[in-house]
Amino acid sequence: MTTILPKEPVVIERKSVILSDAERRNIRRKLRRSVEVAQDVLNPRNQLKRFVGRNKAEATRVAGEAAQMARKSAPIIGAVGLGALLFMGRRPISKWISQLRNRRNNAPNGD
């Protein structure tokens, strides 16, 4: 009976083992960092901050344009507002004027 001897083990240099271990640690570190960045990106609070940051300039521009338009048309806005107030208050105003007229008519003539 013949016994088969195992092949000679492959000898790996110490330096290549150290380098491959360092490479694995580096790749593992990069993977952890990528996971941290992904978690940060997917965090709803951070998504809201980025959304607000992107739209802040646009909102500022729109608000500035609206303020400028309101300044230009302030007299028109005032007149429309006054007209609306008078229209809504027409009955109380009419009643008040009627009361003033009735007071004059009902005043004693003792003077």
Side-chain angles (χ1 to χ4, degrees):
M1 186 177 224
T2 343
T3 39
I4 302 176
L5 296 173
K7 294 181 181 178
E8 289 186 27
V10 178
V11 178
I12 301 174
E13 293 181 29
R14 176 176 166 75
K15 191 173 185 179
S16 72
V17 170
I18 292 172
L19 287 175
S20 65
D21 188 45
E23 186 179 357
R24 271 195 307 272
R25 282 194 311 260
N26 190 27
I27 291 172
R28 197 174 296 131
R29 191 178 313 118
K30 285 180 183 178
L31 177 64
R32 274 195 217 114
R33 181 64 188 141
S34 296
V35 169
E36 289 172 3
V37 168
Q39 287 174 339
D40 186 53
V41 166
L42 295 175
N43 186 336
R45 181 179 297 152
N46 294 337
Q47 286 180 343
L48 182 63
K49 284 179 186 177
R50 280 190 298 280
F51 177 77
V52 168
R54 283 191 304 260
N55 294 322
K56 187 175 183 181
E58 181 69 19
T60 303
R61 183 186 64 76
V62 169
E65 289 176 2
Q68 185 178 10
M69 189 182 305
R71 274 188 237 111
K72 285 182 180 177
S73 57
I76 295 171
I77 293 172
V80 169
L82 181 62
L85 282 174
L86 288 174
F87 180 76
M88 289 187 301
R90 67 186 184 274
R91 283 197 178 145
I93 292 171
S94 174
K95 196 180 289 185
W96 178 70
I97 291 173
S98 295
Q99 287 175 354
L100 285 177
R101 285 183 182 161
N102 288 336
R103 283 185 197 161
R104 283 189 193 157
N105 294 339
N106 293 336
N109 291 339
D111 290 336

